[in-house]
Amino acid sequence: MQKNSIKDIIKNPKIDQIISVNGWVRNKRGSKNVSFISVNDGSTILNLQIVAESKSISEEILKKINTGACLNIEGILKNSQGSEQSLEILAEKIIILGEADADEYPLQPKKHSLEFLREKAHLRFRTNTFSAVFRIRHALTFAVHKFFNEKGFFNMHTPIITGADAEGAGEMFKVTSLDLSNIPKKDDLNIDFSKDFFGKQTNLTVSGQLEAELGAMGLGKVYTFGPTFRAEKSNTSRHLSEFWMIEPEMAFADLEMNMDMAEEFLKSCINYCLENCKEDLNFLNVRLKNEEDKLKKEERSELGLIERLEFVVKNDFERLTYTEAINILRNSKPNKKKKFEYLIEGFGADLQSEHERYLVEKKFKKPVIITDYPKEIKAFYMRMNEDKKTVRAMDVLFPSIGEIIGGSQREERYDMLSDRMNELDVDKKELWWYLETRKFGTCIHSGFGLGFERLIMFVTGMKNIRDVIPFPRTPQNAEF
């Protein structure tokens, strides 16, 4: 008999017909004569109730059905008389595909902390919260590819192993096949990487941007969507050692076009979720409200989760320069009353999350794009402005989360890029190929980077980045 997903059963119910469904037991209750079993198969956040009467299902089978068990059920689909569900299956046959020990199964039907569930990451997909999060992660993945495909971009797979440090940060994981118990050394006692697999020092990438720029110089519009790695020893709720980045690059595009594309991209992805993930978003909306009710009034968001998403989709993003933003922040009440943890004194300050959220949530009450940052706080590849003090950078700021996109118009002029690399001590021998594109048919071009997990946090309302990736990699943690 053909198996039906619970999502399809609820969407297109075939009342009074015999159907077959698989799923995991979420809960079981009842009496000697009848048991009510709630099952879920992951296709939707909604459960399906199974009515198992003792006259149809043996007592031996019913005793083995515990929370966590995996079942196949055949029975007649009926309209439910209960208030908590609209449909139920009157079971005629139940096969236990996999038993679950009632004493050992850790996800009993009660509230579990997110910290506890991170320790049970192999099972947390079965909870309402995490099944909703990871279905939305899938929807956003599809929305990303859909958007760029419809805009004429080509997906580009950039290297995971690289000799280049795109950010110049140096916090990279080294890749080697050398025998760590007998490392070859040169005469000066430095490691002899010529004996290594690639004949040079290599790392896991922190960004595919530089390689994507090369693609854009021949294909016009490309985007990357892949894993990136950073060996930053940070254990905050906003950092991962392994995360996914989306990085479009566009030839013949200036900063204005870059901002337009970033705004349209974000709105498209969020709108896709609003239209296609309603049940999951409704559940997460209630969950977030319950969580924020426990916070102090000043710590609560003024908007619910769905309101927050609609807020982004419906509003044009406010655009202002870094200098304008600094002036607003310097003269703001939180700064004057020293409520900011990092006080703004003037031009050159690196904006923190508290400043970004003030601009979005208090000052403009809409998403904000800040442009033209001081060159000292931005990367070498950003195009220098005429004032020689600022670069054509942009950051997109969202409510509750702060920066969600960082990008720029890239420096296309050979001499300017070369000088900037010298200024920041970037290895030009290592990046000869990046410089060389400025000698052969250079043109204005722009791009941006979006940390995928940051977007998922915003759409789901989850507060910790470890809860929006299946198996988080953080300092001292590489389980599963």
Side-chain angles (χ1 to χ4, degrees):
M1 179 179 291
Q2 181 179 351
K3 303 295 187 293
N4 300 269
S5 73
I6 292 176
K7 182 178 181 179
D8 289 340
I9 291 170
I10 293 172
K11 186 177 180 180
N12 184 28
K14 298 178 180 178
I15 304 300
D16 294 329
Q17 291 191 25
I18 296 177
I19 62 172
S20 176
V21 67
N22 296 326
W24 292 271
V25 177
R26 288 287 180 85
N27 196 9
K28 176 190 170 187
R29 58 185 175 82
S31 61
K32 183 177 179 181
N33 296 323
V34 60
S35 294
F36 300 95
I37 306 164
S38 180
V39 299
N40 187 284
D41 66 354
S43 63
T44 173
I45 199 164
L46 303 174
N47 299 329
L48 189 60
Q49 178 168 279
I50 310 302
V51 181
E53 297 180 341
S54 57
K55 64 182 180 181
S56 303
I57 308 300
S58 71
E59 184 179 352
E60 180 184 1
I61 292 290
L62 290 174
K63 281 184 176 179
K64 293 181 180 179
I65 297 175
N66 297 310
T67 300
C70 186
L71 309 179
N72 168 251
I73 304 104
E74 288 185 14
I76 301 173
L77 187 65
K78 295 284 188 181
N79 288 313
S80 177
Q81 302 303 311
S83 59
E84 295 185 7
Q85 63 281 320
S86 60
L87 299 170
E88 60 189 23
I89 293 179
L90 184 59
E92 295 185 344
K93 180 181 178 183
I94 295 179
I95 299 173
I96 301 176
L97 303 176
E99 295 183 31
D101 190 305
D103 296 324
E104 293 187 15
Y105 186 64
L107 302 186
Q108 294 302 318
K110 63 178 183 178
K111 184 175 178 61
H112 298 285
S113 72
L114 297 179
E115 291 79 7
F116 171 79
L117 291 172
R118 281 178 215 132
E119 297 173 1
K120 309 295 180 186
H122 58 307
L123 297 172
R124 67 177 181 169
F125 301 100
R126 301 189 193 184
T127 66
N128 282 336
T129 296
F130 287 99
S131 65
V133 167
F134 293 122
R135 278 188 294 268
I136 289 174
R137 184 179 177 114
H138 160 77
L140 281 169
T141 300
F142 181 81
V144 168
H145 289 298
K146 180 176 183 290
F147 175 83
F148 285 120
N149 185 62
E150 291 176 353
K151 290 292 179 182
F153 283 72
F154 300 104
N155 184 223
M156 182 175 171
H157 297 152
T158 52
I160 290 175
I161 299 174
T162 178
D165 181 357
E167 299 295 327
E171 296 168 330
M172 303 178 78
F173 288 102
K174 292 177 174 56
V175 175
T176 183
S177 64
L178 293 176
D179 181 356
L180 299 184
S181 63
N182 187 26
I183 299 175
K185 299 288 184 68
K186 295 187 289 188
D187 292 339
D188 60 4
L189 298 182
N190 287 318
I191 297 173
D192 186 359
F193 284 105
S194 68
K195 301 292 195 299
D196 208 347
F197 186 90
F198 293 105
K200 61 185 293 187
Q201 184 174 342
T202 53
N203 312 286
L204 295 180
T205 185
V206 297
S207 170
Q209 176 203 314
L210 303 187
E211 293 88 351
E213 283 188 51
L214 313 184
M217 290 297 99
L219 295 170
K221 293 188 291 187
V222 303
Y223 73 103
T224 75
F225 192 164
T228 51
F229 309 84
R230 182 158 293 176
E232 181 179 359
K233 292 185 178 179
S234 177
N235 253 320
T236 76
S237 61
R238 295 162 62 90
H239 289 88
L240 287 169
S241 302
E242 175 185 289
F243 52 99
W244 288 68
M245 285 290 291
I246 299 156
E247 297 172 296
E249 291 291 330
M250 301 170 285
F252 319 116
D254 61 12
L255 187 65
E256 290 295 325
M257 296 167 69
N258 203 26
M259 288 190 286
D260 291 343
M261 184 62 69
E263 180 171 345
E264 187 179 359
F265 167 65
L266 288 167
K267 288 181 175 180
S268 175
C269 290
I270 292 169
N271 198 54
Y272 183 87
C273 287
L274 284 169
E275 292 177 353
N276 294 279
C277 304
K278 293 177 182 176
E279 290 89 357
D280 288 326
L281 286 175
N282 286 334
F283 170 81
L284 292 171
N285 187 45
V286 172
R287 179 194 172 280
L288 183 61
K289 183 180 185 303
N290 292 336
E291 290 295 315
E292 292 198 338
D293 283 346
K294 301 173 186 176
L295 301 175
K296 297 176 183 177
K297 186 176 181 181
E298 61 270 18
E299 295 176 343
R300 298 176 194 169
S301 173
E302 295 180 8
L303 301 173
L305 178 61
I306 294 175
E307 290 176 308
R308 199 180 301 165
L309 302 181
E310 291 174 340
F311 166 90
V312 169
V313 171
K314 293 177 180 177
N315 281 292
D316 292 334
F317 295 6
E318 184 74 24
R319 301 182 183 188
L320 68 158
T321 66
Y322 167 89
T323 302
E324 291 169 333
I326 284 294
N327 289 334
I328 290 169
L329 290 166
R330 188 177 55 202
N331 295 311
S332 68
K333 285 184 179 179
N335 199 61
K336 288 182 175 179
K337 293 183 177 181
K338 299 187 176 181
K339 294 290 183 67
F340 283 145
E341 182 179 353
Y342 298 92
L343 296 178
I344 298 294
E345 295 180 355
F347 188 88
D350 202 351
L351 300 187
Q352 305 296 321
S353 180
E354 60 182 342
H355 308 135
E356 296 166 345
R357 291 189 61 179
Y358 173 82
L359 292 170
V360 174
E361 297 170 26
K362 302 298 182 183
K363 175 63 180 177
F364 294 106
K365 296 188 182 297
K366 61 170 66 174
V368 170
I369 305 179
I370 298 178
T371 65
D372 301 296
Y373 283 80
K375 66 177 184 177
E376 287 81 10
I377 60 174
K378 288 298 181 181
F380 73 93
Y381 48 73
M382 298 185 177
R383 194 183 201 277
M384 188 73 69
N385 282 322
E386 297 302 316
D387 61 12
K388 300 292 192 298
K389 295 180 180 179
T390 60
V391 291
R392 299 292 282 159
M394 69 164 199
D395 285 344
V396 182
L397 314 180
F398 265 19
S400 80
I401 203 166
E403 181 192 334
I404 196 163
I405 275 180
S408 71
Q409 184 172 328
R410 314 310 190 188
E411 182 57 81
E412 85 282 7
R413 299 164 295 185
Y414 181 92
D415 291 342
M416 297 293 286
L417 181 59
S418 179
D419 290 345
R420 188 78 172 122
M421 293 173 80
N422 288 335
E423 186 181 333
L424 295 179
D425 199 26
V426 176
D427 190 343
K428 292 200 288 188
K429 288 183 179 179
E430 193 67 54
L431 292 178
W432 64 269
W433 43 269
Y434 187 72
L435 258 174
E436 194 167 275
T437 58
R438 274 64 178 178
K439 293 168 61 178
F440 306 138
T442 190
C443 67
I444 63 165
H445 59 289
S446 298
F448 59 82
L450 166 71
F452 190 45
E453 283 74 26
R454 189 71 64 88
L455 177 60
I456 301 168
M457 286 176 70
F458 179 76
V459 173
T460 62
M462 301 301 286
K463 302 294 188 185
N464 195 311
I465 199 167
R466 294 171 175 86
D467 297 327
V468 296
I469 192 168
F471 304 105
R473 297 291 179 249
T474 55
Q476 304 297 310
N477 178 35
E479 291 296 317
F480 308 102

